Amino acid sequence: MQRKLLVTALAVALCLAFTPLAMAKEIKVGGLFDITGPTGAVGKDYAAGAVAGEKYWNQKNVLGGDMLKLIPNDYAYKIPEAVNLYKKYKDVDRVFVIQGWGTGDTNALRPLVNKDKIVFFSASYDGNLTDPKKNPYNFFIGTSYSTAIRLAMIYAKDQGAKKVVFIYPDHPYGKNPIPAGKDYAKKLGLQIGPDEIVNLRAIDATSQLLNMKKFNPDFAWIGGTTPSTAVIIKDAAKHNLGTKFMINCWGFDENLPRLAGKAAEGRAFGMLPVAPFGANVPGMKDVVAAAGDKPTTLHFVKSWVSMMVMVEGLKKAKAAGKLNGPGLKAALETIKDFNTGGLCAPITYTSTDHRPNTSMAIGGVKDGKIYLVKDVNFPRQKAYIGW
Amino acid sequence: MPCGLFFETYQKDESIFPTLWLKVWMIALGLFLLTFPFFSQTVSDWLGINVLNLFNLIFIYIVGAHGLNLLTGYTGQISLGHGAFMGVGAYTAGILANLGWPFWLALPAAGLMAAAVGMIFGIPSLRLRGLYLAIATLAAQFILDYAMRNWSSLTGGSSGLIVPAASIGSLTFDNDFNFYFLALGFAVLATMYLKNITRTRTGRAFVAVRDRYLSAEVIGVNLFKYRIMSFGISSFMVGIAGGLWAYYITIISDEHFTMWLSVQYLAMIIVGGLGSVLGSIYGVVFMVTLPELLRLPAEALTNVYPDIFVIFSSLREMVFGIIVIIFLIFEPDGLAARWHTVRAYWKLWPFSY
């Protein structure tokens, strides 16, 4: 009798001990980041932001007891490696949401994501991804590259530019917005010079810039990452080019003034989908605290916002009792004018338009620091969904 | 009980599975491989690795590694272009599949196209040997790499080319489970082919060319013919591997078929064992599995210290490199040689002398 009692007591004790574990469900989130690959220079900060975001929202317990579990992995910007990791996340970890990275791999995974109904947040703001008819499960948080390049052309035109040139690496990310940029430049009546290819790991851009000098453009678009952008800017200063540079969002950050020095001042203008790290906006306090004492860049803010929007979607999906891929997708599509505390423009997704927003800021460099030149806004036109 | 192998006929000496034990083990291995997908999910969950995906990659790379081993290990010609030849196969299969060709036609076409390209770049092998040939094939790598990236109308450029899943009749190989049997079939075929070709007249001619080309020529081996043939067969196999890969991953871009892949192929057969059928298999298993295994401690540690993940990712590449170097220092003849040593030890144990 006593033995039976003991066993029962033990069983009850065990059950009690494990109850919190059983109740706290884990929501696994796959993470594809580039740490060691060609875009690792900006990828590191992005990955760190996602990791910090996971910790922050778990501490705030926003999902009513459910815990986020980010499974971060480095795929070194290799598409096959991304496919391998994707298969692991799908079959082994059974995730229904992934925080992804580059343009090439995000596009490569599109068919799989749609087939498996896994929500895919990416750090690639490729305009093609914003058409839910073609890519119902793809989401991102910043102004698309195509919109950014159109805004850059408008800004250049406003500054009195007549001639533009496009400089980009031979990568999906670099090449992605170029057709949209050229199309819009033509519409604005700008004269387009020959393209220049500068690779992400370039340490010299002299030949390309000398080539460009013959055309002598007023403005040039740079579609690289920060290190290659710094190389271009420095070489442009060295050869006394009067050209000003409009830089896509992965090539302009807090490291650029450090890498390019004085050359960046008055010459480099970046398209900023999110506020620079440490900017004076209400949402930034938590971000800075989460980053600890390490100085970081606006790429950290980007992934933070990406996690923030994902959490918002998860909250809604949970309230609807549909914590799965289709449930999260439907929940995200109800998000309207979501306030990120000024970290980026208010975010809206609908079932017919996955463009998060169409406004951003243009940043410049002064005294080794980023300052805001201007807020710009592109009208949300139906014709531009999906490109 | 005999403590060694005693053959009384040449036929027995040349047999593929000389002992009963070996036959029993091979049957066991065959059964294991055929039934593995049915319990692979359990293994995957337990290990935290998608093992079915790993096996599929291993099978595909085995086909290619056998090809390179025939060229480098058996015929003695170094190629640094096999990554690109694999790309030629992949793109051929991908483009033909998009044109509506069935799998069973597109795949051989991929092999043939790669063979044709490989033979063209193999022509310098008549005059060039060793490092010079390596550089000539390296040029092939760069030329093909450039073509794949910039011939966008054909290859989709750096955005890649989407390939439909393979299907034969009503059977579609659109998931890891189905593809496993297809890839296993090709790996077995390639292994059997390599094992058999090395036992034929042609195979012996290859080895003769490798060991001393002058003597080979003196005894009547047509050097040019065999060198080009070796390039052809080898590129055909790596082209088939590329075709399979395209059908498996279902998206191909130039990023995969860079010099890094060529070097990786070479590393596979060197780590495994040059001029050995088992060598290519061991090498592939080692090179494909190790990076996955190295991910495990990183993931485990990330659970405890989330911030460490960034540092660990960079370390992983380094550890991988170091392990390969250590391997080459302590086992320069490759894993296959080590395997023979271990087997010989146990065969004679405890009466080794």
Side-chain angles (χ1 to χ4, degrees), chain A residues 209 229-239 259-261 263-264 267:
Chain A
L209 287 173
T229 303
V231 167
I232 298 171
I233 303 281
K234 270 201 287 192
D235 281 0
K238 207 159 64 187
H239 294 99
L259 292 171
R267 191 173 269 119

Side-chain angles (χ1 to χ4, degrees), chain A residues 32-85:
Chain A
L32 290 170
F33 301 116
D34 181 14
I35 309 292
T36 56
T39 56
V42 286
K44 263 188 218 118
D45 290 345
Y46 192 85
V51 170
E54 176 214 22
K55 204 164 129 192
Y56 173 80
W57 275 287
N58 276 341
Q59 274 169 2
K60 285 197 94 178
N61 194 17
V62 283
L63 290 169
D66 288 358
M67 299 298 264
L68 283 178
K69 187 173 185 308
L70 181 73
I71 309 163
N73 266 305
D74 169 35
Y75 81 108
Y77 209 64
K78 291 181 194 143
I79 292 178
E81 185 66 21
V83 176
N84 284 342
L85 278 168

Side-chain angles (χ1 to χ4, degrees), chain B residues 105-145:
Chain B
L105 263 180
L107 194 70
L112 288 175
M113 183 58 115
V117 174
M119 277 155 84
I120 292 171
F121 286 106
I123 292 173
S125 68
L126 179 67
R127 295 278 179 97
L128 306 174
R129 271 172 286 279
L131 282 176
Y132 298 93
L133 185 62
I135 297 295
T137 49
L138 186 65
Q141 171 72 51
F142 283 122
I143 294 168
L144 291 171
D145 202 15

Side-chain angles (χ1 to χ4, degrees), chain B:
Chain B
M1 200 172 112
C3 62
L5 292 173
F6 300 101
F7 298 120
E8 281 148 6
T9 61
Y10 283 118
Q11 239 159 9
K12 253 198 150 167
D13 193 34
E14 276 288 286
S15 64
I16 294 177
F17 306 122
T19 63
L20 183 70
W21 264 117
L22 208 56
K23 280 179 196 146
V24 171
W25 275 118
M26 287 317 288
I27 291 169
L29 178 70
L31 280 177
F32 167 75
L33 285 176
L34 282 175
T35 51
F36 179 72
F38 296 97
F39 54 87
S40 66
Q41 189 61 53
T42 326
V43 183
S44 292
D45 288 340
W46 182 68
L47 270 178
I49 297 176
N50 189 341
V51 275
L52 214 50
N53 175 42
L54 206 63
F55 266 76
N56 285 340
L57 289 177
I58 287 173
F59 292 149
I60 293 171
Y61 280 116
I62 280 177
V63 179
H66 277 331
L68 184 62
N69 213 342
L70 181 74
L71 184 72
T72 306
Y74 285 95
T75 324
Q77 311 192 84
I78 301 172
S79 166
L80 276 170
H82 266 55
F85 299 153
M86 183 174 180
V88 171
Y91 275 110
T92 309
I95 291 163
L96 291 178
N98 278 320
L99 287 175
W101 284 42
F103 169 73
W104 55 271
L105 263 180
L107 194 70
L112 288 175
M113 183 58 115
V117 174
M119 277 155 84
I120 292 171
F121 286 106
I123 292 173
S125 68
L126 179 67
R127 295 278 179 97
L128 306 174
R129 271 172 286 279
L131 282 176
Y132 298 93
L133 185 62
I135 297 295
T137 49
L138 186 65
Q141 171 72 51
F142 283 122
I143 294 168
L144 291 171
D145 202 15
Y146 185 83
M148 284 188 260
R149 186 169 322 134
N150 291 300
W151 196 350
S152 314
S153 55
L154 192 69
T155 63
S158 51
S159 314
L161 183 76
I162 297 200
V163 184
S167 61
I168 301 174
S170 59
L171 200 63
T172 312
F173 301 95
D174 62 347
N175 57 39
D176 288 1
F177 183 86
N178 286 357
F179 201 90
Y180 176 91
F181 296 101
L182 187 74
L184 175 64
F186 275 97
V188 170
L189 263 180
T191 308
M192 270 163 47
Y193 178 74
L194 186 67
K195 183 76 196 170
N196 278 309
I197 199 173
T198 53
R199 304 189 315 150
T200 60
R201 195 183 153 79
T202 317
R204 285 197 299 274
F206 286 157
V207 174
V209 172
R210 174 192 72 188
D211 285 348
R212 191 141 316 273
Y213 69 94
L214 217 55
S215 317
E217 204 168 16
V218 167
I219 57 168
V221 174
N222 183 343
L223 279 187
F224 186 58
K225 179 181 146 194
Y226 281 103
R227 282 198 178 126
I228 288 289
M229 199 166 144
S230 176
F231 255 100
I233 297 173
S234 156
S235 322
F236 179 83
M237 288 172 88
V238 89
I240 293 282
L244 281 174
W245 197 83
Y247 275 110
Y248 180 55
I249 301 285
T250 64
I251 170 121
I252 37 178
S253 77
D254 62 296
E255 281 171 29
H256 182 60
F257 310 107
T258 53
M259 205 184 76
W260 167 238
L261 180 66
S262 295
V263 173
Q264 226 175 347
Y265 261 127
L266 264 183
M268 279 171 189
I269 60 168
I270 291 171
V271 166
L274 283 169
S276 149
V277 177
L278 272 181
S280 337
I281 298 176
Y282 289 148
V284 170
V285 171
F286 181 83
M287 293 290 283
V288 176
T289 318
L290 188 62
E292 288 295 319
L293 291 180
L294 284 176
R295 201 195 306 284
L296 289 179
E299 269 192 14
L301 268 176
T302 306
N303 287 337
V304 195
Y305 311 102
D307 302 332
I308 216 165
F309 138 77
V310 173
I311 306 161
F312 223 88
S313 300
S314 324
L315 262 172
R316 200 169 69 103
E317 302 265 312
M318 236 168 67
V319 172
F320 179 73
I322 290 170
I323 290 179
V324 171
I325 292 171
I326 289 176
F327 229 96
L328 292 179
I329 292 173
F330 292 103
E331 195 49 77
D333 291 334
L335 284 165
R338 172 59 55 189
W339 168 243
H340 280 298
T341 325
V342 170
R343 213 173 53 168
Y345 176 81
W346 284 107
K347 187 164 267 160
L348 302 176
W349 188 85
F351 303 113
S352 55
Y353 45 95

Side-chain angles (χ1 to χ4, degrees), chain A residues 6 9 12 16 40 59 125 153 156 172 186 192 203 213 221 226 293 317 339 348 351 371 373-375 382:
Chain A
L6 199 77
V12 170
L16 281 176
Q59 274 169 2
Y125 305 157
M153 291 305 123
K186 257 183 230 155
I192 304 165
I203 47 166
K213 205 175 178 181
W221 165 266
T226 313
D293 47 2
N339 181 10
T348 303
S351 57
Y371 74 100
V373 176
K374 190 178 179 183
D375 280 315
K382 223 173 183 182

